Every structure is written in C-alpha cells, then in structure tokens.
Amino acid sequence: NAEYMGGCVLEFVLLMVWRSLLVLVGVMCHMGMTLAGDKVYVTCGSVIKLKHQDSGRRLHSHGVNYGSGSGQQSVTGFEGTDDTNSMWIVKGVPNKPCDRGTQLQTGDIIRLEHMNTNKNLHSHLFPSPISNKQEVSAFGNNGEGDSGDYWRIECSGKWKRGKPVKLQHVDTSKWLSTDANRLFPRPIAGQAEVACHQQKDVWVAEEGAYFRTPSHGEDDDN
C-alpha cells in the first residue's frame, strides 16, 4: 500500500544520506580535516584514525580474513596515512548508548566500528597468527557484535585528539598493541600484526571528523 511504499522510500533516502555522509567523512579524513577544529575532544560519533605512538602505524582493517585462529576479518597496523580502511567510528555499548558529540574520558567503555566494513574491533582467546598473543579481529554485522567488542579507555582526563590513550579489552583485561617487527606476508605484505597482551601500548587519535555538541566546552579538561 501507499503507506508501506512511503516508509520504504524514506528508509532508502536516509540510507543514501548516511552513505553520502560517510563518503564526505572519508574525503575529510584523507585531507586531514576535522569538523570541529584542530584541538578537539574525541566524542561519540567521531570517525577517527588511531596511530600507534611507537611505530606510527594506523589501526587498520580490510576484507582479508585470517588464515588461522578465528578466521575472522584481520586487523593490522598500516604504515600509510591516507587509506580509508584505517577509519573507525567511535560509539558506545548497547547497555549505555552514547549520543553523538558526547565527550569521552578515562574509564569509559566504547566500541570502534570499522567504517568501510561495519565490523567492530574485537578480541577473544584465539592466538594471534605471528606472535601467538591474543588475536584482534574485526567482527559482527552492521556494527553489532558481542561483548568481545568492548574497550575501556585509559587516558588523563578527557580523551582528546593528539592525546595519548590506551585501550583495554574488557573481557580479557589485555591491551591493544602492535609491533612493527611482526609483519605479514602476502596478501597483506608489510602490514603489522595487531594483538592484545599485558603491555600497555600507547595510541593517539589523529586524522578524522570530530563531532561535538555546542554544550560541550573545551575548557573543562583535567
């Protein structure tokens, strides 16, 4: 009937608008731009690239699955800065929704959704393929997975672009890490293994589109 058709058309239009927004975000991230200036907070809804402080590699994923372990979509440390497969959407967890523009701080639990494949950054008890540490993968469908997608932020006060942050996997209490000396062969030759282990590696939010609400000032950091 007409009401049903109208609903389908509206849903299609909203989907097209969302996809257009993601394309715009991709262009902005490629150009190193932000929506809220250079000195901004990382907030829910932001689309960011995470740089590993020691190696300079970006947290990255793509349509290549592991050939061992879980067989899920692989996550790597990527040396380049201009690949859209290094962009992640910051969001809350199902039992604690996070509105776009909500500032994040140490202790908050988030999910990171890979923008191009809509799978969440994930970890579990499978061994990683090179170091035999704890595997990190991209998991789920359309941004929905399970508690293995939950990460706890550790930083000084509020999480801000350019500010050191550590990400702890909630289910296993291990920390997101990468090692530029542990590199994959083909088909992802030269990309570094990303895994979880006891050591607290430091990451930094870099290129991205950062959203914030007008009510969130920038003078309340601690």
Side-chain angles (χ1 to χ4, degrees):
N1 57 34
E3 183 178 350
Y4 174 78
M5 290 299 296
C8 290
V9 170
L10 178 59
E11 184 176 348
F12 176 77
V13 170
L14 292 175
L15 179 61
M16 291 301 99
V17 169
W18 174 243
R19 287 183 175 177
S20 297
L21 177 61
L22 292 183
V23 171
L24 174 61
V25 167
V27 172
M28 294 178 70
C29 291
H30 177 78
M31 297 175 67
M33 298 171 64
T34 72
L35 293 180
D38 291 330
K39 296 182 179 180
V40 294
Y41 292 99
V42 179
T43 59
C44 289
S46 294
V47 185
I48 65 173
K49 292 184 180 181
L50 276 173
K51 182 182 76 173
H52 185 247
Q53 189 175 68
D54 287 346
S55 69
R57 289 174 178 260
R58 266 65 175 176
L59 186 69
H60 184 88
S61 192
H62 35 233
V64 178
N65 288 5
Y66 289 123
S68 62
S70 70
Q72 294 173 5
Q73 184 171 298
S74 58
V75 172
T76 62
F78 187 74
E79 200 166 20
T81 62
D82 60 354
D83 194 312
T84 60
N85 274 324
S86 300
M87 292 193 289
W88 301 83
I89 304 167
V90 182
K91 58 187 187 179
V93 296
N95 63 350
K96 191 177 180 181
C98 188
D99 294 333
R100 180 184 296 173
T102 300
Q103 293 179 5
L104 296 165
Q105 61 185 359
T106 191
D108 284 344
I109 296 175
I110 61 167
R111 293 177 294 169
L112 291 171
E113 180 182 337
H114 188 244
M115 194 186 78
N116 285 348
T117 63
N118 301 119
K119 295 182 182 295
N120 294 327
L121 186 70
H122 181 89
S123 192
H124 40 215
L125 297 179
F126 286 96
S128 59
I130 300 177
S131 66
N132 208 39
K133 294 175 182 174
Q134 184 173 297
E135 183 187 273
V136 172
S137 65
F139 171 77
N141 294 300
N142 297 318
E144 297 302 326
D146 59 26
S147 63
D149 305 338
Y150 298 0
W151 301 86
R152 181 179 290 106
I153 299 166
E154 183 179 291
C155 60
S156 175
K158 299 288 181 68
W159 189 12
K160 200 172 183 180
R161 176 179 176 171
K163 186 176 187 176
V165 66
K166 306 175 186 80
L167 295 173
Q168 183 181 38
H169 188 241
V170 173
D171 277 359
T172 62
S173 299
K174 293 187 178 180
W175 301 84
L176 186 69
S177 69
T178 190
D179 185 343
N181 295 314
R182 300 184 185 276
L183 303 180
F184 286 101
R186 292 171 63 90
I188 49 176
Q191 296 185 36
E193 180 187 74
V194 170
C196 278
H197 65 139
Q198 300 293 347
Q199 178 181 323
K200 296 183 180 183
D201 280 22
V202 175
W203 299 81
V204 178
E206 290 287 359
E207 305 90 351
Y210 292 77
F211 295 94
R212 63 184 176 91
T213 58
S215 60
H216 289 151
E218 297 211 14
D219 58 353
D220 58 347
D221 198 9
N222 52 46

